[in-house]
Amino acid sequence: MEQSAQQAQQLDHLASAPAPGGSPFAAFGMPGLGGPPPTAPPEPRPILELDGEEREDELDALSDWVDDFFLPVYGAEVTTTAPWCLQWQEHDDVVAWLHALWLAYQQHKDPEAGLSGLFVWHRDFLTHAIAAIRAPGGPLSACMTSPERPAHRILPGPPPSSRTEKAVASAAEAAGPPEPDEPTS
């Protein structure tokens, strides 16, 4: 009888709900069933959407990657067909390309990307980005085309569309004439 009572207690204990908070699989790095889901890492945002100190921090980290890894390995020679700019951080389109390339690099070097992760990065990301950034008519075409003649010039972009110009004119009309003490631009 005593043995039956002990077995009944064990069965009751095993059948009861587990204590909240702990996962029986936590020691193995696995989330528990019914527990809170693991927190997802923050989603990366394009660098051009960042502001202030957040953008500066991201640009600093990107610059370290470009200067310490990207250029020594993939920078190649500066020529008229492959220009470069020592002030590339001032070219928003180049910053956007390099930031996207860097994010893809981080994703594809992760062990979860598998053994072919970096091959995929080279094939699908690196080749295309370099071709776009360093093209003879690309965003750096007015900059350095010879290491002996460093240059930096940002080419003007296209003007705003007529729709944007009309919206600005309409907003100016709605605001009315400027006050006499108000400076005009």
Side-chain angles (χ1 to χ4, degrees):
M1 292 285 247
E2 191 175 310
Q3 189 177 13
S4 292
Q6 287 177 347
Q7 287 176 344
Q9 279 182 335
Q10 285 179 336
L11 287 173
D12 287 342
H13 175 71
L14 291 172
S16 66
S23 166
F25 306 108
F28 302 107
M30 299 171 58
L33 300 174
T39 57
E43 290 189 25
R45 290 177 41 210
I47 195 167
L48 298 182
E49 291 181 4
L50 303 177
D51 291 320
E53 191 173 321
E54 187 179 17
R55 182 173 177 158
E56 287 301 316
D57 291 345
E58 192 75 0
L59 188 58
D60 286 345
L62 173 63
S63 296
D64 290 344
W65 180 77
V66 169
D67 293 340
D68 298 340
F69 174 74
F70 178 75
L71 286 177
V73 177
Y74 303 105
E77 185 178 358
V78 174
T79 66
T80 55
T81 59
W84 185 248
C85 183
L86 297 175
Q87 298 172 20
W88 60 267
Q89 297 94 337
E90 295 180 22
H91 297 265
D92 282 344
D93 46 356
V94 174
V95 169
W97 271 103
L98 289 173
H99 188 252
L101 185 63
W102 179 47
L103 292 176
Y105 174 78
Q106 291 177 64
Q107 177 184 355
H108 285 84
K109 76 173 189 160
D110 189 274
E112 289 185 18
L115 296 175
S116 62
L118 285 175
F119 176 80
V120 172
W121 178 77
H122 280 88
R123 182 194 67 201
D124 294 349
F125 299 93
L126 176 69
T127 306
H128 183 68
I130 288 178
I133 293 168
R134 298 190 68 189
L140 302 178
S141 60
C143 292
M144 182 170 62
T145 57
S146 169
E148 287 80 38
R149 293 186 311 276
H152 168 69
R153 190 175 79 187
I154 297 178
L155 297 174
S161 69
S162 59
R163 180 176 169 260
T164 302
E165 288 176 347
K166 288 177 188 174
V168 169
S170 295
E173 284 178 22
E179 295 294 321
D181 295 341
E182 211 176 281
T184 58
S185 53

